[in-house]
Each structure stands twice: as structure tokens, then as C-alpha cells.
């Protein structure tokens, strides 16, 4: 068959008319017209139509090939008849007249679902047969985009002088915010490795080692519950760290990388850098979240002090947040929004409408003294035809609920511009917070440098101390988290002591950093944008699983490979483990 040139499906064009070619791929469809059989052959790159020459044996053979079987076709490229041209396909002006067709891999089982179906398929079925699901053009294109983005990110970092360094997968367990995945040791009975939640300690140790600028496409492993934007088990990030760097240095490096990536792989409008900066405190008040969707123009205001002067019992001694909408809304809208409010745990949703004469109409109007109504107009910057919603609870809960109502209003009122990627920095995170037991705990990254250094730790109220911590957010998703790192042993010990650790615990849990910081560690800072989340945004996917080749499901199971699974007793004995399934 030397006279046949091997081609991919997308290469077949009018230039090849009259030439003999060979293609290979999956049979996507078969159309039997009696004397002629047309087949669409799909490979990684496109689709080509092939047609039988009219021989009875060829017609019978071609018409009975199971769909999604692998075949190879030899034949001559012909120009299609005018009435059969398909301008939607790159190969739609030509076809291959079959001279020989061979089945290379025959499908012998019924398809669990139609590949490239326009109908919605159950996700558990898609994940069980992921090798079929990945034949879908959308998922295939997502994987191609993923490869292109990874290559682009590498080039961007290398051009800025960063060195790619791989860090270990087997490491020690450390308290970094999520549950570790543990790996038992065969050689050291009763001891365990942990899969890294992130290369956090290793990247800092590289800075102590004198590696000036480090990066890698880093796998991270966390035993966390799944969300739409979080994969259980494993995810990837563009991990980077710089020695002798400040917060501003990190911003200067990563902003063009993020901007250039989204500019290259998207046609949407993108926030130009430098990205806006919003303090954590402002974000929580104004948007009700530390990952605000800035495409939504609605803002939250605090009216707690105002309502302390009113007689509405549910608002007394409560944090009261409000959201103003520049329109009157229908009774049906209010009823549906109330149902949403009840579904997220609110006891109700008060509102007022501003009338033509600037008077109020609504359920709580009678509880606002007349002499205070003009003050409310001024405080909330209300105008005629406006509607204002009220959310009241304790401070933490009111903040959270107001953020959810703001987000829901933005969607229901169609205020969100879906043709925009809106980036911002969230900065000045608190160093500490109180946990559910009233104890002091790290609020963000425990390896962060407190603003004000040791003096702040020694003299300030711990809950007032800010840290050099920062997140990049985009369209309501936390894309990246980073910090100026704590490199000073005195500050490290002091901050961990305040969070309830003894020096001995710090030595045990973070021994390498504890030791390394006593050998002239340089100041350093870094960040780690989430690659899966970037791709989720770029592909407009609703779930992060759509941009991962072989993801776990929402219950952290691999339905295709059957993981997690039981293992043989001998395997457990080898690693000194005895199960107690009670």
C-alpha cells in the first residue's frame, strides 16, 4: 500500500482530489442508501466522509461495522457532488471513495451512551466510561486547550528567569489546612508519608537553598469535599516563589502571566493590569465574600447603626446589611427571592420600595420613624423607583447571607456581563481568627509574614494583626493564593505560639523550616494560581471535572478504575497495617 499517503482526517481537502490516501479513526456515523454507504470517520483532528464504491460486498461490510469501532480506510479523494457539500466541515467539499476498509478494533459491547450526543448524560455514567466520554469533541478540545495553556505558562515563567524544579510527592504530614492523604511505609513500621497538600515547605526551602526564582506545574493532594470549582483528591497549580521579593514583586510577575494567558486563549474582555486591589475587610463588607464577582454591580452597605434607632425587633442588636437595586420589582419576583432567602437559612427578607414622592412602601416601613426616613434615603443613596433589601443576623452570618443575596440578585436581574473576565487582588487578610472554640487560629496561610513583624505580634490585639497575604479572584472564583513568607525564626515561633503550638510542636511538624530559618534565610514571597480553575473559566465549564482527563467524582471515587478499592491482606501486612472495619 505504499502508493497511499497516510493523512489525518482534517488534512483531506480539495488539494488532495485525485490522490490516494489512507486515514484511520472511529466510525462516527453510517448512512446506508442501498447501493451506497456513507461513513463519517473521526480522528483526533477532524471528520472525513468516506463512501463505498458500489461493490455489493463492500456495501454489506461497511453498513454492518459497529459505530465507534476503529477502522482504516484506503481510497481516492473525490470532490463531492454539489448537493452533498457540507461547508460546516473543513473536509466538507471532499470524500474518500473506499478501495479497502479494515476494522482495526471492533466494538463488541453496546455503547453506554452516544458519543458526541447533544443530550445530557448522567455524570456517573460518563466517568465510568471516561475513555468514551473523552471521544466527545468538547472534552477533547478541553484537553487540547489544557496542554496549550500549560506550555504557555511554562514559557511565560521561563522568559522571566524562573527555574522549573520538581518537588517530592512523598513527604511528611503537616497541618496545612486540609486532611492529608497518608501513605504507609514498608521499611519503617508504623510510620507514614503524606502526599503534599502543596509544595509550600519545599518552595520555601528552595529559597533558603539559593534558588532565586522557582516554579513548577505542581500536583497538590487534599482530602477535601468536592465543589463545582474544587476537585477532591488532586489538583494542579502554577507554583512559584521568589527570593528577596516583596508583595509588589510577586504582583509584577504574575499579573502579566495571568493577563497574557487569558488574552491568548479567550476572546472576552479582560481586566488590564495592574489589577484592582480590595482589602479583605472591604470585600467582606461590600460584597459579602473574599472572592467577589466584580461583574455584578450591586454593593452591600452596613445599616446596623441606623436600625439601632428603629423599633423593628428582628433588627435590634443585629448586624444589618442592605442591597439597593435601581428598579421596582414585581410581587412575583419578591416571592421567589423570599423563597430563595428561606432556602439559605434566612428567616425572612425585608425590603422597601422608594415611591415617586420619596416615601417608602414595604413590609418594614411602619417600623422606621418618620424623622429617620430622610436619613435612610441619604445613607443608602436611594432615589425614586429604587428597591432596598435588608439582611440581619450576627456579624459573620449577616455578611455571608448578604453576599449570597447579592449574588442571586445579580443573576435574577441579569446584571452580570458574561463576556468579561474581571480580576482583582484581595489583600490585607487578618493573620489570626477565632475558631469555633474561641481559640486563636491562623486565618489563611500559617507561613505568612505579619505586617509589622515581631513588634505587631508583641503589641497588637492578635485579631487586629494583618498579614502579607493576597488572593487573585476572577468572576467569583478564588484563582490564586499567595503570601510574603515568614522567614524569621523568632517571628515563626511567636506566631505559631499565639496559634496554640509549642516550640517542640513547631520543631516536630515543621522541622526542616525550623532548622533552615536559622541558616540565613532570605526573605521570599510567592503565589500559586490554580490551573484547573483557570481552565474552568476559559472553557466556560460549570464543573472543574470538565477540564480534567480522569477526575474523581463528587464522592472522591474513580468509577472507571474502581478506586478506592480493597487490597490483599498481604499488601497490608507489608506496610504493617491491620484493619478494624468496625
Amino acid at each position: 500500500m505504499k502508493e497511499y499517503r497516510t493523512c489525518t482526517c482534517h488534512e483531506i481537502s480539495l488539494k488532495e482530489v485525485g490522490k490516494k490516501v489512507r486515514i484511520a479513526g472511529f466510525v462516527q456515523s453510517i448512512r446506508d442508501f442501498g447501493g451506497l454507504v456513507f461513513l463519517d470517520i473521526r480522528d483526533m483532528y477532524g471528520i472525513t466522509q468516506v463512501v463505498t464504491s458500489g461493490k455489493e460486498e463492500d456495501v454489506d461490510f461497511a453498513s454492518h461495522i459497529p459505530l465507534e469501532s476503529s477502522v482504516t480506510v484506503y481510497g481516492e479523494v473525490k470532490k463531492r457532488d454539489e448537493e452533498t457539500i457540507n461547508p460546516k466541515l473543513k473536509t466538507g467539499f471532499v470524500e474518500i471513495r473506499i478501495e479497502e476498509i479494515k476494522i482495526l478494533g471492533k466494538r463488541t459491547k453496546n455503547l453506554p451512551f452516544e458519543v458526541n450526543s447533544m443530550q445530557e448524560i448522567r455524570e456517573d455514567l460518563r466517568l465510568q466510561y471516561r475513555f468514551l466520554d473523552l471521544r466527545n469533541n468538547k472534552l477533547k478540545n478541553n484537553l487540547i486547550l489544557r496542554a496549550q495553556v500549560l506550555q504557555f505558562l511554562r514559557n511565560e515563567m521561563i522568559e522571566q528567569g524562573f527555574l522549573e524544579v520538581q518537588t517530592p510527592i512523598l513527604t511528611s504530614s503537616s497541618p496545612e489546612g486540609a486532611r492529608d492523604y497518608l501513605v504507609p511505609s514498608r521499611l519503617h513500621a508504623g510510620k507514614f508519608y503524606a502526599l503534599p497538600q502543596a509544595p509550600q515547605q519545599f518552595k520555601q526551602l528552595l529559597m533558603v537553598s539559593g534558588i532565586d526564582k522557582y516554579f513548577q506545574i505542581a500536583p497538590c493532594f487534599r482530602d477535601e469535599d468536592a465543589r463545582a470549582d474544587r476537585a477532591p483528591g488532586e489538583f494542579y497549580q502554577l507554583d512559584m516563589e521568589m527570593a528577596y521579593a516583596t508583595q509588589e514583586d510577586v504582583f509584577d510577575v504574575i499579573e502579566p502571566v495571568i493577563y497574557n494567558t487569558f488574552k491568548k486563549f479567550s476572546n472576552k474582555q479582560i481586566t488590564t493590569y495592574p489589577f484592582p486591589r480590595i482589602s479583605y475587610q472591604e470585600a467582606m463588607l461590600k460584597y459579602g465574600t473574599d472572592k467577589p464577582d466584580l461583574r455584578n454591580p450591586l454593593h452591600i452597605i452596613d445599616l446596623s447603626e441606623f436600625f439601632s434607632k428603629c423599633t423593628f425587633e428582628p433588627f435590634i442588636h443585629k448586624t444589618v446589611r442592605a442591597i439597593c437595586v435601581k428598579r421596582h420589582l414585581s410581587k412575583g419576583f419578591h416571592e421567589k427571592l423570599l423563597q430563595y432567602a428561606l432556602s439559605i437559612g434566612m428567616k425572612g427578607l425585608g425590603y422597601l420600595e422608594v415611591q415617586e414622592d420619596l416615601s417608602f412602601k414595604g413590609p418594614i416601613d411602619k417600623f422606621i420613624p418618620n424623622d429617620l426616613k430622610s436619613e435612610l434615603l441619604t445613607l443608602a443613596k436611594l432615589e425614586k423607583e429604587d428597591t432596598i433589601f435588608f439582611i440581619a443576623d450576627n456579624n459573620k452570618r449577616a455578611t455571608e447571607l448578604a453576599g449570597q443575596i447579592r449574588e442571586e440578585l445579580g443573576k435574577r436581574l441579569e446584571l452580570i456581563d458574561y463576556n468579561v473576565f474581571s480580576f482583582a487582588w484581595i489583600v490585607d487578610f487578618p493573620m489570626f481568627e477565632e475558631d469555633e472554640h474561641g481559640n486563636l487560629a491562623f486565618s489563611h496561610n500559617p507561613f505568612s509574614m505579619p505586617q509589622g513583624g515581631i513588634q505587631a505580634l508583641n503589641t497588637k490585639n492578635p485579631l487586629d494583626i494583618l498579614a502579607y497575604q493576597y488572593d487573585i479572584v476572577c468572576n467569583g472564583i478564588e484563582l490564586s493564593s499567595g503570601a510574603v513568607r515568614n522567614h524569621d525564626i523568632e517571628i515563626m515561633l511567636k506566631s505559631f505560639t499565639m496559634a496554640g503550638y509549642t516550640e517542640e510542636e513547631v520543631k516536630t511538624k515543621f522541622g526542616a523550616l525550623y532548622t533552615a530559618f536559622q541558616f540565613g534565610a532570605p526573605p521570599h514571597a510567592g503565589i500559586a494560581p490554580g490551573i484547573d480553575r483557570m481552565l474552568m473559566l476559559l472553557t466556560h465549564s460549570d464543573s472543574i471535572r470538565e477540564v480534567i482527563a480522569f477526575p474523581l467524582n463528587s464522592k472522591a471515587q474513580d468509577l472507571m478504575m474502581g478506586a478506592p478499592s480493597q487490597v490483599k491482606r498481604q499488601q497490608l501486612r507489608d506496610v504493617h497495617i491491620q484493619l478494624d472495619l468496625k
Side-chain angles (χ1 to χ4, degrees), residues 19 42 124 138 181 210 226 238 254 321 339 376 419 434:
K19 296 178 182 179
R42 182 191 71 247
D124 61 336
K138 182 180 178 181
Y181 279 102
L238 172 62
I254 209 66
R321 297 286 160 82
Q339 290 305 310
L376 178 57
N419 293 311
E434 287 187 346

Side-chain angles (χ1 to χ4, degrees), residues 565-580:
S565 61
Q566 294 180 331
V567 296
K568 295 179 180 178
R569 287 188 178 182
Q570 185 57 50
Q571 291 175 273
L572 294 175
R573 291 194 189 103
D574 289 344
V575 292
H576 321 288
I577 287 180
Q578 182 175 345
L579 295 181
D580 181 3

Side-chain angles (χ1 to χ4, degrees), residues 28 52 105 126 147 174 281 333 369 390 412 421 432 456 458 499 513 548 562 567 582:
Q28 177 162 297
T52 55
R126 291 177 55 206
S174 64
Q281 185 176 9
F333 184 95
F390 304 100
R412 291 180 184 239
F421 285 124
F432 301 102
N458 285 330
L513 286 179
I548 299 172
V567 296
K582 295 179 182 178

